Amino acid sequence: MSAAVGYAAVAGQVVVVGAGAPLLTGWMRQVRARLEGRAGAGVLQPWRDTRKLLRKEPVTPVGTGPAFRAAPALLVATTVVAAALVPLLSTDTPVSSHADLIVVVSLIALGTLALALAGLDTGTAFGGMGASREMTVAALVEPTILLSVFALSIPAGTTNIPAIVTGAVHEPARLTSPAGLLATAALAVAVLAETGRIPVDNPSTHLELTMIHEAMVLEYAGPDLALVELGSQLRLTLLLGLLSSLFVPWGIATSASWAGLAVALVLFAAKLVLLGAVLAAAEVFWAKVRLFRVPELLAGSFLLAVLAVASSYFLSGAS
Amino acid sequence: MGLLRKIRTTGRVAEPAPPRPEAEQPLAAGELRGSVQVRCVDAGSCNGCEIEIAAAFNPLYDAERYGARLVASPRHADVALVTGPVTRNMAEPLRRTVAAMGEPKLVVAVGDCAIDCGEFAGGYGVEGAVADVLPVDLAVPGCPPEPDQIVAALRRVTGR
Ligand code: SF4
């Protein structure tokens, strides 16, 4: 019985992230369009785009090798595995004992690396430029994600994400401690950078010279492009979901029950819709920062993460 | 905060959508079903047409609401929006751009110059109209064409 609920929770997480990712992107574009005074293409537009791309002719540019061909599938696969591991709906699943922080962060990093290699593999000027920028950003972002979650793992005494989330549900004081707040801020900036949003990267730019993520995927066409776009939508959903699980964990099922799972599902969707709307609204107000200022921004968020770990260590040591 | 007040007082500026254009969809566009990625190619225009294309995607005309979107790479595109007479130097890049697009693909000629060389007919640097270089699926006449006409042509492609 409880095992069935656990498997249902894992399947539910994958399905919700998979089906919800294009909708979340469509929702964010719609919010943005409305704030700009536009009518907007509708929440379902990313689904239409994906449907059309899957029907288009696949194009493999001359001179590209295995790295270019494997990257889209690898990007989607790593994200789906991470979505199954991270406690988005339930902390009590058959895979929750494997959901280690370091595993999840390296899965995300593996997807980033695959895409950067694909960008280099095309041999075009913009592909290589995008890859080098992406790795610069990734080198600053991955440690920040690790450290800010470490700050939360010190009170929990483990790097297992479901255990951290369960601990926070039972002891909300951990989240409002200075360490919790600093870690929230650090992780939020890291998530923005990792998913290529303003102020680090502009997902709807047409200017090759300012691109980061887009520059790496300029050569993809048809079904491959559909996978790449789905992959980046999945990552956005996954990382926003992780953010909400870690810092607003209420509603996540901590025991195996169908009712708990249903409540978790509704609350998870509500949290993501809210978070997406806030992010889209914030993007209307922000400008993209100059590329040379991006490391400063990310170093700042890394500093916050270090402070979070330090305060978590000293404050919990004192008590 | 000024921006917030501006957003609240301005509200929606997009004009109400005109009725869907009567003319039928070009054949290749049937597969696209409401999602069209557009790549602009300036083959030698005076930039008047580009300004009108930019206006077609502004909040007022909002071509994006019909499912059209400008993209940065011909590999992502379904439609090549070609403006201006094709100059000798741009003929080959134009052919290569359209060759880089995956099927189904359409070529839309925007402006009188793209249709029959317009102002620049007979110029020493002009190779010919777009149709002399590539098969054209749709033409938008005018010098420059008005944004609503560009939007109407794009709607014929998206079918929305
Ligand atoms: S059609 Fe008119 S506006 Fe357009 S490129 Fe030609 S001269 Fe310029």
Side-chain angles (χ1 to χ4, degrees):
Chain A
M1 165 64 196
S2 76
V5 178
Y7 283 113
V10 174
Q13 284 180 190
V14 172
V15 170
V16 165
V17 172
L23 294 180
L24 180 71
T25 310
W27 162 247
M28 287 175 58
R29 282 196 201 145
Q30 191 67 18
V31 169
R32 213 190 140 118
R34 280 299 157 91
L35 290 176
E36 288 172 353
R38 295 169 185 272
V43 178
L44 292 177
Q45 188 60 31
W47 267 122
R48 288 191 203 102
D49 291 348
T50 308
R51 187 182 62 185
K52 181 211 59 194
L53 284 174
L54 286 175
R55 265 205 299 256
K56 281 200 70 151
E57 169 198 34
V59 179
T60 312
V62 181
T64 51
F68 181 80
R69 279 193 295 278
L74 205 58
L75 179 69
V76 173
T78 51
T79 319
V80 167
V81 173
L85 288 177
V86 167
L88 300 174
L89 297 181
S90 168
T91 57
D92 182 19
T93 63
V95 292
S96 57
S97 58
H98 304 290
D100 196 79
L101 163 68
I102 297 167
V103 173
V104 171
V105 173
S106 27
L107 278 171
I108 294 172
L110 184 60
T112 311
L113 183 73
L115 211 54
L117 283 178
L120 282 177
D121 196 20
T122 59
T124 60
F126 289 128
M129 193 185 70
S132 98
R133 288 178 179 176
E134 178 82 354
M135 291 330 286
T136 312
V137 171
L140 289 163
V141 164
E142 309 296 346
T144 311
I145 298 184
L146 273 176
L147 268 189
S148 58
V149 191
F150 276 148
L152 299 175
S153 74
I154 289 174
T158 165
T159 53
N160 181 281
I161 300 180
I164 297 173
V165 172
T166 317
V169 172
H170 295 312
E171 267 181 72
R174 278 184 196 171
L175 295 174
T176 51
S177 66
L181 296 177
L182 285 170
T184 315
L187 195 62
V189 176
V191 165
L192 287 183
E194 183 67 36
T195 53
R197 312 298 304 190
I198 288 174
V200 176
D201 188 8
N202 182 354
S204 56
T205 179
H206 312 305
L207 270 174
E208 286 86 353
L209 290 177
T210 64
M211 287 177 173
I212 299 178
H213 172 83
E214 281 284 299
M216 294 187 297
V217 305
L218 280 177
E219 287 291 329
Y220 279 110
D224 283 340
L225 180 63
L227 279 183
V228 169
E229 293 208 332
L230 184 67
S232 53
Q233 292 163 357
L234 285 173
R235 284 160 74 97
L236 176 66
T237 315
L238 173 72
L239 284 169
L240 288 183
L242 181 64
L243 195 64
S244 74
S245 292
L246 285 172
F247 298 107
V248 237
W250 299 282
I252 293 179
T254 48
S255 61
S257 80
W258 291 107
L261 205 56
V263 171
L265 187 64
V266 173
L267 280 176
F268 177 65
K271 279 182 220 166
L272 275 196
V273 165
L274 194 70
L275 214 54
V278 169
L279 182 54
E283 285 184 345
V284 172
F285 287 86
W286 290 337
K288 182 183 171 305
V289 299
R290 214 150 55 86
L291 190 70
F292 295 113
R293 303 283 305 278
V294 167
E296 287 172 27
L297 179 77
L298 296 179
S301 87
F302 182 73
L303 188 67
L304 287 181
V306 172
L307 284 175
V309 171
S311 68
S312 173
Y313 180 71
F314 289 117
L315 295 184
S316 67
S319 64
Chain B
M1 281 308 100
L3 188 55
L4 199 60
R5 194 172 325 117
K6 180 104 184 134
I7 288 174
R8 215 180 45 241
T9 52
T10 312
R12 182 175 146 157
V13 295
E15 287 180 343
R20 196 191 285 192
E22 291 292 310
E24 64 181 305
Q25 260 187 319
L27 203 59
E31 304 255 302
L32 303 177
R33 291 217 271 161
S35 156
V36 169
Q37 260 76 310
V38 180
R39 176 76 192 157
C40 297
V41 182
D42 177 344
S45 102
C46 75
N47 255 316
C49 285
E50 270 66 40
I51 292 174
E52 303 301 318
I53 291 173
F57 284 87
N58 72 11
L60 203 66
Y61 294 99
D62 196 15
E64 263 182 47
R65 75 178 114 164
Y66 310 114
R69 193 153 58 85
L70 295 173
V71 291
S73 164
R75 295 253 190 242
H76 302 183
D78 315 300
V79 166
L81 219 53
V82 187
T83 54
V86 183
T87 54
R88 289 191 202 287
N89 284 339
M90 277 306 288
E92 192 50 33
L94 175 62
R95 278 193 208 101
R96 285 197 202 152
T97 304
V98 175
M101 292 161 55
E103 293 288 346
K105 60 185 166 199
L106 291 100
V107 177
V108 179
V110 175
D112 284 346
C113 288
I115 297 170
D116 57 5
C117 297
E119 287 302 312
F120 302 106
Y124 67 90
V126 173
E127 176 117 350
V130 179
D132 301 336
V133 179
L134 287 167
V136 171
D137 298 274
L138 214 59
V140 188
C143 177
E146 282 176 19
D148 347 2
Q149 287 170 295
I150 298 173
V151 172
L154 288 174
R155 286 182 76 181
R156 276 180 65 188
V157 180
T158 64
R160 287 172 75 190

